[in-house]
């Protein structure tokens, strides 16, 4: 998601009204990603046989909607949900109003989110004939310098609240409820049921696809003044040369608009005129099915 937002920003006109909203979403997404990375550092202590750690698992509920867990830790004894928040404090949780407050700003209730995820997971376990498998849910404050005060004190809320260094101590090896084989099968099943979220950026931010800046960005100066010259590219702004500048443009197209590509779409987005050259460029980074080309994103990432 971070990459998609960055690419979208890089190809919008500087005056586009959606830019502040996209920048806000990007900042929030980066903070969340950094929080998960900080927690992952401490989860390394759990890297041993019999423990499975799944990230960003998005599953369908019994009513057809979806719920997503930041991190799910599975052992033969229990399933543990981690709702990770990278807050900057201080923060107060008002147990009377059930509101999380920071500088008079009311934030979404992470304890309610974690409990809701736990309920959905329990329903899924019931459908999978694993209702005997216990679940736990915690809210993780990723930044250890953030102080969260629960007022008035509430033991249930306090028990759900953890900092990253405390997580491993909560993954206990109590009485086993699943065999190793049953657990492995359940993990495989969860991965099969996973439906990763792919936001439609154009719809979400109310952007017309036609406003996207087309062309190849110069790797040196960042302008879209690149043009084809012999077997490479030359920037009309800084006069630098490149043989691989088109990789980033193809990657941008794929993340923004999806696949497959056609020669016509490639000519339009890369602002080229030679069908032969477009076909040759596509053939090196994709597989072809008729007139459709499916880009190999791992190849593009290596060269962009």
């Amino acid at each position: 998601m971070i990459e998609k937002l960055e690419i979208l920003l890089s190809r919008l006109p500087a005056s586009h009204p959606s830019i502040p909203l996209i920048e806000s979403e990007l900042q929030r997404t980066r903070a969340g990603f950094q929080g998960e990375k900080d927690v992952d550092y401490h989860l390394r202590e759990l890297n041993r046989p019999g423990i499975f750690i799944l990230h960003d698992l998005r599953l369908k509920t019994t009513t057809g909607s979806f719920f997503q867990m930041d991190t799910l830790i599975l052992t033969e004894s229990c399933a543990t949900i981690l709702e990770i928040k990278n807050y900057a404090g201080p923060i107060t949780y008002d147990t009377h109003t059930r509101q999380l407050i920071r500088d008079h700003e009311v934030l979404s209730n992470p304890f309610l989110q974690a409990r809701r995820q736990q309920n959905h997971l329990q329903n899924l376990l019931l459908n999978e004939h694993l209702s005997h498998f216990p679940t736990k849910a915690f809210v993780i404050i990723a930044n250890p310098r953030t102080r969260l005060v629960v007022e008035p004190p509430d033991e249930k809320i306090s028990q759900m609240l953890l900092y990253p260094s405390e997580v491993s101590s909560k993954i206990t090896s109590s009485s086993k409820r699943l065999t190793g084989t049953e657990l492995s099968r359940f993990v495989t099943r969860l991965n099969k049921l996973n439906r990763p979220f792919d936001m439609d950026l154009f719809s979400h931010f109310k952007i017309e696809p036609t406003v996207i800046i087309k062309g190849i960005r110069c790797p040196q100066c960042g302008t879209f003044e690149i043009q084809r010259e012999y077997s490479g590219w030359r920037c009309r702004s800084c006069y630098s040369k490149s043989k691989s500048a088109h990789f980033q443009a193809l990657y941008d197209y794929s993340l923004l608009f999806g696949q497959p590509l056609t020669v016509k779409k490639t000519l339009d987005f890369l602002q080229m005129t030679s069908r032969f050259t477009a076909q040759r460029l596509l053939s090196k980074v994709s597989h072809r099915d008729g007139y459709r080309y499916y880009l190999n994103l791992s190849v593009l990432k290596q060269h962009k």
Side-chain angles (χ1 to χ4, degrees):
M1 180 57 69
I2 292 175
E3 260 192 323
K4 286 183 69 172
L5 291 169
E6 290 174 338
I7 289 171
L8 179 60
L9 279 173
S10 73
R11 287 187 173 270
L12 280 178
S15 60
H16 197 280
S18 293
I19 285 179
L21 292 174
I22 300 169
E23 289 176 335
S24 177
E25 180 69 21
L26 179 58
Q27 182 180 12
R28 187 190 66 79
T29 305
R30 281 174 174 163
F33 178 71
Q34 185 59 50
E36 292 184 22
K37 278 183 62 179
D38 293 342
V39 174
D40 286 347
Y41 175 82
H42 293 276
L43 292 182
R44 294 184 306 172
E45 300 174 24
L46 300 174
N47 186 19
R48 55 181 183 266
I51 298 180
F52 296 87
I53 302 175
L54 306 179
H55 299 285
D56 299 320
L57 200 61
R58 183 171 177 263
L59 306 169
K60 185 175 287 189
T61 69
T62 54
T63 59
S65 58
F66 288 89
F67 71 104
Q68 181 164 321
M69 296 170 282
D70 290 338
T71 300
L72 178 65
I73 303 173
L74 295 156
T75 69
E76 295 172 355
S77 306
C78 183
T80 303
I81 298 168
L82 306 183
E83 174 66 21
I84 301 169
K85 298 298 181 183
N86 194 14
Y87 296 131
I91 303 174
T92 300
Y93 181 76
D94 188 323
T95 53
H96 288 321
T97 63
R98 295 179 297 281
Q99 290 180 320
L100 195 69
I101 303 167
R102 177 180 60 192
D103 295 332
H104 305 292
E105 176 190 7
V106 177
L107 307 175
S108 60
N109 186 333
F111 303 102
L112 181 61
Q113 291 175 13
R115 284 172 175 157
R116 186 182 296 120
Q117 292 164 10
Q118 186 178 12
N119 289 337
H120 288 315
L121 181 60
Q122 288 169 341
N123 288 334
L124 186 147
L125 287 165
L126 179 63
N127 289 341
E128 297 293 323
H129 308 291
L130 294 172
S131 58
H132 62 288
F133 194 50
T135 64
K136 295 186 290 187
F138 297 102
V139 173
I140 313 300
I141 305 301
N143 187 346
R145 293 178 293 278
T146 296
R147 182 168 177 263
L148 193 153
V149 178
V150 179
E151 292 182 350
D154 185 303
E155 187 63 23
K156 290 183 179 180
I157 293 296
S158 297
Q159 288 178 354
M160 289 183 67
L161 182 61
L162 294 178
Y163 286 90
S165 60
E166 301 173 300
V167 173
S168 60
S169 65
K170 296 295 181 179
I171 311 302
T172 57
S173 299
S174 53
S175 57
K176 295 182 180 181
R177 301 298 184 92
L178 297 178
T179 65
T181 300
E182 288 173 328
L183 180 62
S184 295
R185 286 175 180 168
F186 183 50
V187 170
T188 300
R189 176 67 173 157
L190 288 175
N191 283 323
K192 186 176 181 180
L193 292 173
N194 186 30
R195 297 292 181 269
F197 178 60
D198 187 16
M199 181 188 291
D200 182 342
L201 299 182
F202 297 111
S203 174
H204 184 78
F205 293 110
K206 297 179 174 58
I207 296 171
E208 289 295 329
T210 53
V211 306
I212 294 296
I213 299 172
K214 299 174 182 178
I216 299 172
R217 182 187 292 274
C218 174
Q220 297 299 319
C221 69
T223 65
F224 288 92
E225 298 295 320
I226 286 278
Q227 63 182 7
R228 192 70 178 171
E229 185 176 275
Y230 302 111
S231 60
W233 306 95
R234 185 179 181 86
C235 179
R236 291 174 294 183
S237 180
C238 68
Y239 305 107
S240 64
K241 295 182 179 181
S242 171
K243 288 187 174 294
S244 59
H246 61 286
F247 285 109
Q248 180 67 61
L250 291 172
Y251 189 78
D252 290 359
Y253 182 95
S254 181
L255 262 62
L256 291 177
F257 298 102
Q259 301 209 51
L261 269 77
T262 62
V263 172
K264 182 178 180 181
K265 289 179 180 178
T266 302
L267 289 171
D268 178 55
F269 191 72
L270 270 58
Q271 297 291 278
M272 298 172 58
T273 57
S274 170
R275 290 183 61 86
F276 173 77
T277 301
Q279 288 175 326
R280 189 161 57 85
L281 295 178
L282 286 172
S283 67
K284 294 180 179 179
V285 294
S286 65
H287 73 268
R288 184 177 178 179
D289 180 11
Y291 62 87
R292 295 183 293 267
Y293 292 82
Y294 294 86
L295 295 172
N296 186 328
L297 296 187
S298 60
V299 172
L300 291 175
K301 290 187 76 169
Q302 290 173 9
H303 294 88
K304 70 185 183 71

